[in-house]
Amino acid sequence: MCSRPEPPEPLRRVAVVGGTHGNEMSGVCLARYWLRAPGELQRPSFSAVPVLANPAATAACRRYVDCDLNRAFTSAFLTARAHPDDPYEVTRARELNQLLGPKASGQAFDFVLDLHNTTASMGTCLVAESSHDVFAMHLCHHLQLQSPELPCRVFLYQLPGEESYSVHSVAKSGLGLELGPQPQGVLRADLLARMRALVAAALDFIQLFNQAYRKVSSVDFPRTETGDLAGTVHPQLQDRDFEPLRPGAPIFQMFGGKDVLYEGESTVYPVFINEAAYYEKGIAFFQTEKLTFSVPALPGLAPAPSPAP
Amino acid sequence: MTYHVVEDPIKKVAIFGGTHGNELTGVFLVKHWLENGAEIQRTGLEVKPFITNPRAVKKCTRYIDCDLNRVFDPGNLGKRMSEDLPYEVRRAQEINHLFGPKDSEDSYDIIFDLHNTTSNMGCTLILEDSRNDFLIQMFHYIKTSLAPLPCYIYLIEHPSLKYATTRSIAKYPVGIEVGPQPQGVLRADILDQMRKMIKYALDFIHNFNEGKEFPPCAIEVYKIMEKVDYPRNENGEIAAIIHPNLQDQDWKPLRPEDPVFLTLDGETIPLGGDCTVYPTFVNEAAYYEKKEAFAKTTILTLKAKSIRSSLH
């Protein structure tokens, strides 16, 4: 039994999180800035929502108040009944789970990028649970290619059998961005600029992904009355995924030799052309189109900026 | 005929660590010396290592209620002891009792207070009094012994900017500040530098007590002029950060046209004013709340007369 690849959906609900640890200043600074001026998080097919994850720890410039927020997203913490004596971060994890999750559900955000600093000399490091998050791995690869002069390493942190516990594990896909060395409580301009550029590159990648996989419809093979294949993907369409398909171009070649032409009104971008697993689904290729439109930020998702220290 | 300053021999020396509980080099060195003090012993000298803020050390935080290194003024030291006082004020009174009282005959002769900074200040000695021949000679000795490793001398004598330090209860207070090191981190290279500074300081005291005469000398010091805060927005949040050209450039000349801050919108803010200054404590983590992005200093030369111990 062969595996069936899911046709990828565009990523609509994206969050960029800073201040998960209140003294890791690059993310704190950027989250605060974007909460006031979110323009640079907007892309044609989506807008990323900025989130200040741990407002109390951020206000006190501490890693956490009661316990580490970035360890609080296990099902044990998230699903237990709330209690007035619960640690601040456990309560906050539940709030964030409402906002960005619920974890492991269909309503969860599509992607969360969580911004961190380290005092260790790790340079630029992308943190993922494991290599199973295929989208995240593609994003890592893209970010590595973006700055070849600056090594960008991928760190897979989850041990076998261990449950995920990070802020970004709340979403369907996610990544931690870890930049160092930077002392706790210190904001270095060079790391801030690098973090800002990496977030921009990540959002650009999501935009690219959304554009390419902006599925409009699927097109089946030409078939006989009994449902058998009557033709196959035309040689001029074969292997031309993502390339423009213009009205009048050939898409199928009938077994009898005749060409079937694309009769749509606008240029489309076919993907998954001649995917084996899709024969039985009645899909010869997906038609996608590139569209540009603004999606307004979702209101009520970002907490108000914390008061001055 | 040379004019000597004659001083009494040094008898009681203390080395303080953990005045800020997350500045780990001093914490670690003092804890080590409390277990095995051989390295800091010198004949005829009592050298006492001491953790000044144990609760902050335990929590690996700068302080519990307030900054211990700011409360050794007569006002705080004289307050009536009560449970309502901030922890550090109560602690300051205890320390004053053990190693002072401040401004009395019974106080310790020398206190070395060990600190780290997140700023790129290298090895720094902090001087509180520009006319103290003994300490100028000591600093000259330490600086010469450390060379070629640079050692900077920061003079915090200033009518309003000088603060009441833990070490100020001694007759000769010495601040030792080594960076850059993040809070809560212990680096081997920084540890080695601080260790050497203490070694040379104790060697100097020992040599002095043994009758060595130190000829007149001069040292270059960086004297504090002014502290500069970050530009802030109406919420009091930082609106611009230390410019990349200034980051890590402690002690290097900074001219009026040189950039000091960078806003998130990409705007550069220059130093301004009309003179070249020498910045220090550039981007120190603990100073964000004290509203100090960096301190401006000016270079001075201080001279010391020849000194000799009174017993010889």
Side-chain angles (χ1 to χ4, degrees):
Chain A
M1 173 104 177
C2 64
S3 63
R4 304 168 194 200
E6 290 290 334
E9 294 291 327
L11 274 57
R12 289 262 172 269
R13 298 167 77 220
V14 176
V16 183
V17 179
T20 293
H21 295 135
N23 55 9
E24 293 177 13
M25 302 302 289
S26 304
V28 167
C29 175
L30 287 171
R32 281 186 168 148
Y33 179 73
W34 289 325
L35 283 165
R36 293 162 73 89
E40 93 194 32
L41 298 182
Q42 285 167 9
R43 293 293 181 280
S45 64
F46 72 101
S47 283
V49 165
V51 176
L52 190 70
N54 195 336
T58 299
C61 197
R62 294 168 54 160
R63 182 176 175 83
Y64 55 78
V65 175
D66 294 326
C67 62
D68 192 334
L69 181 62
N70 212 26
R71 300 292 184 277
F73 288 83
T74 59
S75 54
F77 282 128
L78 294 177
T79 58
R81 238 178 85 204
H83 191 274
D85 290 337
D86 280 334
Y88 171 81
E89 277 82 9
V90 170
T91 306
R92 186 67 184 141
R94 294 191 187 119
E95 285 171 16
L96 290 167
N97 193 38
Q98 295 276 69
L99 220 67
L100 304 173
K103 184 171 173 176
S105 78
Q107 296 97 56
F109 262 54
D110 296 311
F111 190 83
V112 165
L113 195 57
D114 189 23
L115 309 182
H116 288 268
N117 293 113
T118 173
T119 59
S121 285
M122 283 171 70
T124 305
C125 187
L126 308 170
V127 182
E129 266 83 40
S130 69
S131 57
H132 295 147
D133 186 344
V134 173
F135 178 80
M137 292 301 102
H138 278 283
L139 173 54
C140 288
H141 183 59
H142 175 81
L143 293 175
Q144 283 174 326
L145 294 174
Q146 287 300 104
S147 33
E149 73 293 353
L150 216 60
C152 182
R153 296 177 179 89
V154 179
F155 175 57
L156 305 176
Y157 78 82
Q158 198 173 11
L159 297 173
E162 190 181 57
E163 192 192 346
S164 62
Y165 48 69
S166 64
V167 166
H168 68 250
S169 71
V170 140
K172 293 177 184 146
S173 173
L175 212 57
L177 205 53
E178 185 90 50
L179 256 52
Q182 180 170 270
Q184 298 166 343
V186 168
L187 191 55
R188 288 186 62 105
D190 49 5
L191 291 192
L192 188 75
R194 202 190 317 158
M195 175 113 34
R196 201 173 181 176
L198 282 164
V199 172
L203 299 184
D204 288 345
F205 177 80
I206 294 172
Q207 170 62 22
L208 213 62
F209 177 86
N210 284 356
Q211 278 189 316
Y213 290 88
R214 184 83 182 88
K215 183 175 64 161
V216 174
S217 58
S218 58
V219 178
D220 193 6
F221 293 94
R223 293 181 186 272
T224 66
E225 293 103 37
T226 49
D228 298 319
L229 288 181
T232 187
V233 171
H234 196 279
Q236 283 177 36
L237 179 60
Q238 182 63 49
D239 301 330
R240 296 247 157 85
D241 301 70
F242 298 117
E243 287 176 38
L245 174 65
R246 295 186 179 87
I251 50 176
F252 297 117
Q253 190 168 71
M254 303 298 279
F255 294 132
K258 198 166 138 248
D259 283 349
V260 175
L261 305 181
Y262 169 57
E263 281 166 358
E265 279 163 14
S266 55
T267 299
V268 293
Y269 299 80
V271 296
F272 281 110
I273 298 169
N274 218 350
E275 161 60 51
Y278 288 167
Y279 277 53
E280 65 177 19
K281 291 183 190 296
I283 297 167
F285 60 93
F286 288 111
Q287 286 183 152
T288 73
E289 51 188 13
K290 281 191 196 182
L291 290 178
T292 303
F293 55 91
S294 280
V295 178
L298 295 164
L301 282 177
S306 42
Chain B
M1 183 184 111
T2 3
Y3 171 64
H4 304 293
V5 167
V6 173
E7 305 271 2
D8 289 335
I10 302 296
K11 294 198 198 58
K12 296 193 300 183
V13 174
I15 305 180
F16 286 173
T19 294
H20 295 134
N22 54 10
E23 293 177 14
L24 294 194
T25 310
V27 170
F28 182 79
L29 281 173
V30 164
K31 282 183 169 173
H32 171 65
W33 290 327
L34 285 167
E35 299 266 309
N36 181 355
E39 179 187 341
I40 55 170
Q41 293 317 314
R42 299 288 186 281
T43 27
L45 196 60
E46 179 203 314
V47 182
K48 191 177 161 87
F50 186 77
I51 296 283
T52 46
N53 196 337
R55 279 184 60 192
V57 167
K58 187 147 190 224
K59 288 187 73 175
C60 196
T61 187
R62 184 176 174 85
Y63 55 78
I64 303 297
D65 295 326
C66 62
D67 193 335
L68 181 63
N69 213 28
R70 299 288 184 279
V71 295
F72 281 80
D73 53 284
N76 276 307
L77 291 177
K79 282 191 174 131
R80 214 162 58 98
M81 178 56 90
S82 124
E83 278 303 301
D84 295 330
L85 286 181
Y87 167 73
E88 276 81 10
V89 172
R90 288 183 269 133
R91 188 67 184 148
Q93 292 186 2
E94 282 168 19
I95 293 168
N96 191 39
H97 184 76
L98 286 168
F99 296 94
K102 186 166 172 171
D103 298 323
S104 78
E105 279 301 303
D106 298 326
S107 67
Y108 266 56
D109 298 308
I110 302 177
I111 294 176
F112 297 101
D113 193 19
L114 306 181
H115 288 267
N116 292 115
T117 173
T118 60
S119 303
N120 191 26
M121 286 166 70
C123 296
T124 296
L125 290 162
I126 306 182
L127 184 64
E128 302 192 9
D129 174 6
S130 59
R131 283 165 302 184
N132 192 314
D133 294 292
F134 179 80
L135 284 182
I136 293 170
Q137 288 279 3
M138 179 197 283
F139 285 17
H140 178 262
Y141 180 89
I142 296 172
K143 199 176 145 88
T144 309
S145 307
L146 278 172
L149 185 68
C151 180
Y152 304 94
I153 298 166
Y154 183 38
L155 175 64
I156 60 168
E157 186 180 64
H158 186 284
S160 55
L161 297 178
K162 181 168 171 179
Y163 47 92
T165 59
T166 316
R167 57 190 180 263
S168 67
I169 58 181
K171 298 187 184 76
Y172 299 115
V174 177
I176 292 184
E177 186 92 51
V178 186
Q181 180 169 270
Q183 298 167 343
V185 169
L186 191 59
R187 288 184 62 102
D189 50 0
I190 300 288
L191 185 84
D192 188 59
Q193 288 170 25
M194 191 177 285
R195 209 168 191 163
K196 286 191 164 102
M197 291 171 81
I198 286 289
K199 171 188 152 46
Y200 297 136
L202 295 176
D203 287 347
F204 172 84
I205 297 165
H206 181 247
N207 291 345
F208 171 79
N209 280 359
E210 294 288 292
K212 182 177 160 101
E213 189 183 295
F214 293 89
C217 71
I219 52 169
E220 193 175 75
V221 307
Y222 294 82
K223 178 175 169 163
I224 187 168
M225 290 163 59
E226 189 190 331
K227 294 178 181 176
V228 180
D229 189 13
Y230 293 92
R232 292 176 188 268
N233 63 26
E234 63 281 357
N235 288 342
E237 291 165 355
I238 284 170
I241 60 187
I242 296 285
H243 194 278
N245 289 14
L246 176 56
Q247 180 66 46
D248 303 331
Q249 302 305 311
D250 302 67
W251 312 121
K252 305 255 173 51
L254 186 66
R255 291 175 306 263
E257 65 273 17
D258 291 336
V260 297
F261 294 116
L262 182 66
T263 71
L264 263 81
D265 298 319
E267 190 200 323
T268 292
I269 300 170
L271 177 69
D274 48 22
C275 59
T276 295
V277 300
Y278 298 82
T280 189
F281 277 113
V282 176
N283 212 348
E284 160 57 52
Y287 288 177
Y288 281 52
E289 68 173 20
K290 295 198 197 299
K291 310 206 177 315
E292 181 180 335
F294 63 97
K296 292 182 186 172
T297 73
T298 183
I299 294 188
L300 279 189
T301 300
L302 295 185
K303 295 197 169 92
K305 303 178 190 65
S306 164
I307 62 165
R308 185 162 61 76
S309 156
S310 63
L311 284 186
H312 298 269

